[in-house]
Amino acid sequence: YMLTPEGKYLNFSGCGNTLNCNHPVVRNQVVDCLRHWVADYHIDGFRFDLASILGRDSDGTPLANPPLVESLALDPVLARTKLIAEAWDAGGLYQVGNFPAYGRWSEWNGKYRDCARKFLKGDMGQTGEMAQRFSGSPDLYFFRGPTASVNFITCHDGFTLADTVSYNQKHNEANGEMNRDGANDNHSWNCGVEGPTDDPAIQTLRNRQVKNAMAMLFLSQGVPMLLMGDEVGRSQKGNNNTYCQDNELSWLDWSLREQNADLFRFCQSLIAFRKAHPALRHGRFAGVAPGKLEISWHGTKPWEPDWSGTSRVIAFQARLRSDDQDDVVYAAFNMYWESLRFCLPQLESGRRWHLFANTAAESPGDVHPVDGTIPLADDPHQVPVAGRSVVILTSS
């Protein structure tokens, strides 16, 4: 373990001690363990909790070229596995965008989570950064490509997506720590009432906000990560630190699949839409040859995005051209509370806009199956976008 000169444990894990990962014996043990999981159990990859610890020296000093991180990246047995870093630790070493990658490591993009949550709840001044996150975070991963960014809005730590739109504050009393455990900066909004409610207007808004978040996630360049249960509206009743709960707070109630069938269907359709549109999942950033991916930014008027500090609105068009396809997706995000009309970019002669999804519409009109007929947009020149909603179009 990492020790102070007095022989006490150094604590960068939040659990009381920290393994001395770059000691030669420990390093070899870690590599041997991972080889075992890959060679004998055919594991596809690994996500490393508090991965910044892997880059600390025996006294806790961050290393520029940590031996263990390099060894895992270059090991021939692990060559085809995914290596994903939670690029921070409990000691304050935050390395999102700067984790030593050696051409192999991807990262949980914590900056994506924070910006997406703030944009979702209508915070001002987020559109500029949100454009970076939609683009695969080139400000963080320009030399590594968008697949280095594992985009997420929720994970096993913190609120579920349903709780992110239902609670302003954490409610961890059941953990026995007087609500002191768990993160305080959740960037959440309860839509008007804290916790469960019978108010149909608030229920409708929460459902829409969950769909808005999913639309952000699956329309972003990079690698989307969905928390199990978010697709069916799973709640932890406001508890954002349920590691110690082996009960209904941490279990998945499979009956939610039927109870929130519209949410499940919306998520399912978004995944199919992403698979059907390579413009949403390109391996290179827009404008980087030979990618041919083009991303243009818009506001309520084409080619006029509002980057001001008061903006809550952004739209983009992603287009991927090649010899055998011309894939175009347009998405308008209105996180303002009133309806706005978005004028659409003009298409070439013979092409028309088709309406794939509108999070403000009632199910089943909120989304259309990819393998079916996606209807034409009512107006080829403009589309109304309700307050706090997302509209997604494609063209053919």
Short mmCIF file of all heavy atoms in Angstrom, two decimals, residues 46-48 51-52 83-88 99 105-109:
data_model
loop_
_atom_site.label_atom_id
_atom_site.label_comp_id
_atom_site.label_asym_id
_atom_site.label_seq_id
_atom_site.Cartn_x
_atom_site.Cartn_y
_atom_site.Cartn_z
N PHE A 46 -12.22 -3.79 -19.78
CA PHE A 46 -12.22 -3.45 -18.36
C PHE A 46 -12.45 -1.96 -18.18
O PHE A 46 -11.91 -1.14 -18.93
CB PHE A 46 -10.87 -3.81 -17.71
CG PHE A 46 -10.50 -5.26 -17.85
CD1 PHE A 46 -9.75 -5.69 -18.93
CD2 PHE A 46 -10.91 -6.19 -16.90
CE1 PHE A 46 -9.40 -7.03 -19.08
CE2 PHE A 46 -10.57 -7.52 -17.04
CZ PHE A 46 -9.82 -7.95 -18.13
N ARG A 47 -13.24 -1.62 -17.20
CA ARG A 47 -13.39 -0.23 -16.76
C ARG A 47 -12.76 -0.12 -15.39
O ARG A 47 -13.06 -0.90 -14.48
CB ARG A 47 -14.87 0.16 -16.73
CG ARG A 47 -15.12 1.57 -16.18
CD ARG A 47 -15.46 1.51 -14.73
NE ARG A 47 -15.86 2.78 -14.16
CZ ARG A 47 -16.02 2.99 -12.87
NH1 ARG A 47 -15.82 2.02 -11.99
NH2 ARG A 47 -16.40 4.17 -12.43
N PHE A 48 -11.83 0.83 -15.21
CA PHE A 48 -11.05 0.95 -13.99
C PHE A 48 -11.60 2.08 -13.12
O PHE A 48 -11.57 3.24 -13.50
CB PHE A 48 -9.58 1.20 -14.33
CG PHE A 48 -8.93 0.05 -15.06
CD1 PHE A 48 -9.12 -0.11 -16.42
CD2 PHE A 48 -8.15 -0.87 -14.37
CE1 PHE A 48 -8.53 -1.18 -17.10
CE2 PHE A 48 -7.57 -1.93 -15.04
CZ PHE A 48 -7.76 -2.09 -16.40
N ALA A 51 -9.37 5.48 -11.80
CA ALA A 51 -8.18 5.04 -12.53
C ALA A 51 -6.98 5.95 -12.35
O ALA A 51 -5.85 5.53 -12.61
CB ALA A 51 -8.51 4.91 -14.02
N SER A 52 -7.19 7.18 -11.91
CA SER A 52 -6.03 8.06 -11.69
C SER A 52 -5.08 7.51 -10.64
O SER A 52 -3.89 7.85 -10.61
CB SER A 52 -6.50 9.47 -11.31
OG SER A 52 -7.14 10.10 -12.41
N LEU A 83 -10.00 -0.75 -22.77
CA LEU A 83 -9.48 -0.23 -21.51
C LEU A 83 -10.13 1.15 -21.29
O LEU A 83 -9.90 2.07 -22.06
CB LEU A 83 -7.96 -0.09 -21.55
CG LEU A 83 -7.17 -1.38 -21.80
CD1 LEU A 83 -5.68 -1.07 -21.91
CD2 LEU A 83 -7.41 -2.40 -20.69
N ILE A 84 -10.94 1.25 -20.26
CA ILE A 84 -11.71 2.47 -20.01
C ILE A 84 -11.37 2.99 -18.62
O ILE A 84 -11.48 2.26 -17.62
CB ILE A 84 -13.21 2.21 -20.12
CG1 ILE A 84 -13.55 1.65 -21.51
CG2 ILE A 84 -14.00 3.50 -19.87
CD1 ILE A 84 -14.98 1.18 -21.65
N ALA A 85 -10.98 4.24 -18.54
CA ALA A 85 -10.58 4.85 -17.28
C ALA A 85 -11.67 5.76 -16.74
O ALA A 85 -12.23 6.57 -17.48
CB ALA A 85 -9.29 5.65 -17.47
N GLU A 86 -11.98 5.60 -15.45
CA GLU A 86 -12.66 6.67 -14.73
C GLU A 86 -11.54 7.61 -14.31
O GLU A 86 -10.81 7.34 -13.35
CB GLU A 86 -13.40 6.12 -13.50
CG GLU A 86 -14.17 7.20 -12.77
CD GLU A 86 -14.81 6.68 -11.49
OE1 GLU A 86 -14.12 5.99 -10.71
OE2 GLU A 86 -15.99 6.98 -11.25
N ALA A 87 -11.37 8.68 -15.08
CA ALA A 87 -10.12 9.45 -15.05
C ALA A 87 -10.06 10.46 -13.91
O ALA A 87 -9.74 11.63 -14.11
CB ALA A 87 -9.91 10.13 -16.40
N TRP A 88 -10.35 10.00 -12.71
CA TRP A 88 -10.19 10.81 -11.51
C TRP A 88 -10.06 9.87 -10.32
O TRP A 88 -10.23 8.66 -10.44
CB TRP A 88 -11.35 11.79 -11.32
CG TRP A 88 -12.72 11.17 -11.31
CD1 TRP A 88 -13.37 10.63 -10.25
CD2 TRP A 88 -13.62 11.03 -12.42
NE1 TRP A 88 -14.62 10.16 -10.60
CE2 TRP A 88 -14.80 10.40 -11.93
CE3 TRP A 88 -13.55 11.38 -13.77
CZ2 TRP A 88 -15.89 10.11 -12.75
CZ3 TRP A 88 -14.64 11.09 -14.58
CH2 TRP A 88 -15.79 10.46 -14.07
N PHE A 99 -5.83 11.76 -19.33
CA PHE A 99 -5.35 10.49 -18.81
C PHE A 99 -4.33 9.91 -19.78
O PHE A 99 -4.54 9.94 -21.00
CB PHE A 99 -6.52 9.51 -18.65
CG PHE A 99 -6.16 8.26 -17.89
CD1 PHE A 99 -6.18 8.26 -16.51
CD2 PHE A 99 -5.81 7.10 -18.56
CE1 PHE A 99 -5.85 7.11 -15.80
CE2 PHE A 99 -5.49 5.95 -17.87
CZ PHE A 99 -5.49 5.96 -16.48
N TRP A 105 -6.31 3.87 -24.29
CA TRP A 105 -7.29 4.09 -23.24
C TRP A 105 -8.40 5.03 -23.69
O TRP A 105 -8.16 6.06 -24.31
CB TRP A 105 -6.62 4.69 -22.00
CG TRP A 105 -5.78 3.71 -21.23
CD1 TRP A 105 -4.51 3.32 -21.52
CD2 TRP A 105 -6.16 3.02 -20.04
NE1 TRP A 105 -4.07 2.42 -20.57
CE2 TRP A 105 -5.07 2.21 -19.65
CE3 TRP A 105 -7.32 3.00 -19.26
CZ2 TRP A 105 -5.09 1.41 -18.52
CZ3 TRP A 105 -7.35 2.20 -18.13
CH2 TRP A 105 -6.25 1.41 -17.76
N SER A 106 -9.63 4.69 -23.33
CA SER A 106 -10.77 5.60 -23.42
C SER A 106 -11.09 6.11 -22.01
O SER A 106 -10.56 5.60 -21.03
CB SER A 106 -12.00 4.89 -24.00
OG SER A 106 -11.74 4.43 -25.31
N GLU A 107 -11.96 7.11 -21.93
CA GLU A 107 -12.27 7.71 -20.64
C GLU A 107 -13.77 7.90 -20.46
O GLU A 107 -14.48 8.24 -21.41
CB GLU A 107 -11.62 9.10 -20.51
CG GLU A 107 -10.12 9.12 -20.55
CD GLU A 107 -9.59 10.55 -20.51
OE1 GLU A 107 -10.39 11.47 -20.23
OE2 GLU A 107 -8.41 10.74 -20.77
N TRP A 108 -14.24 7.69 -19.24
CA TRP A 108 -15.55 8.20 -18.87
C TRP A 108 -15.46 9.72 -18.91
O TRP A 108 -14.65 10.32 -18.18
CB TRP A 108 -15.89 7.76 -17.45
CG TRP A 108 -16.59 6.44 -17.36
CD1 TRP A 108 -16.61 5.45 -18.28
CD2 TRP A 108 -17.36 5.99 -16.25
NE1 TRP A 108 -17.34 4.39 -17.81
CE2 TRP A 108 -17.82 4.70 -16.57
CE3 TRP A 108 -17.71 6.54 -15.02
CZ2 TRP A 108 -18.62 3.97 -15.70
CZ3 TRP A 108 -18.49 5.81 -14.16
CH2 TRP A 108 -18.96 4.52 -14.50
N ASN A 109 -16.29 10.33 -19.74
CA ASN A 109 -16.22 11.78 -19.91
C ASN A 109 -17.11 12.47 -18.88
O ASN A 109 -18.29 12.76 -19.14
CB ASN A 109 -16.62 12.15 -21.34
CG ASN A 109 -16.33 13.60 -21.67
OD1 ASN A 109 -16.12 14.42 -20.77
ND2 ASN A 109 -16.33 13.92 -22.95
#
